[in-house]
Amino acid sequence: VDTPAAANVRAWLSAGTTMLPPEALDDKVIFSSEMSTLRGASAYSAAATRWDADAAALLKPYRTSVSRLVPLDGQRVAVRWRAAWDPASLAWAPPLARLLGWEIERFDLDPEVVSNFRWMAIFELFAAALRTRVLRLPAASVEGRGGYCLE
């Protein structure tokens, strides 16, 4: 069952960000993480703007999405989010795929599997792309959880 708080958070986060927009903030807002605590709407907005700009500049192309949003009660909402980007070592691949008219399919690497570089794997990657016109590339990503309490 959706609550007004969940509907508001869903609308705010539908713009492809995991940070709340300034119009959603009260001056009593508190943001806390393992790294810092921010108090007040202006401190939160300044930090969120800086974080978003830094991520967009360093991690290209930087994409965020909400994978799950669950109302916990009338005021609290839990959110699971994901940020993804292309590894810098593969920056050459998307332009090549576009040049050849191939689609790009991104996939997550299994963090439990340790792999070694093999030329055969590169050959198989391009052989499959030639056959299917789809170049499968690993995505770099991080997932996280957040909680929002609207009063």
Side-chain angles (χ1 to χ4, degrees), residues 40-121:
S42 61
Y44 176 90
S45 292
T49 300
R50 187 175 60 251
W51 294 333
D52 191 55
D54 288 349
L58 294 171
L59 309 170
K60 299 185 186 221
Y62 181 69
R63 307 170 295 279
T64 60
S65 60
V66 173
S67 51
R68 188 160 188 206
L69 190 145
V70 177
L72 301 175
D73 59 32
Q75 295 178 301
R76 295 180 310 133
V77 179
V79 176
R80 181 174 292 157
W81 55 267
R82 174 186 169 90
W85 59 95
D86 294 343
S89 62
L90 293 176
W92 56 270
L96 176 64
R98 281 191 294 278
L99 180 70
L100 297 173
W102 294 346
E103 290 181 43
I104 295 175
E105 178 182 297
R106 290 184 171 80
F107 65 93
D108 290 332
L109 296 173
D110 184 345
E112 301 296 320
V113 175
V114 176
S115 62
N116 296 315
F117 178 82
R118 295 180 303 123
W119 282 108
M120 183 54 81

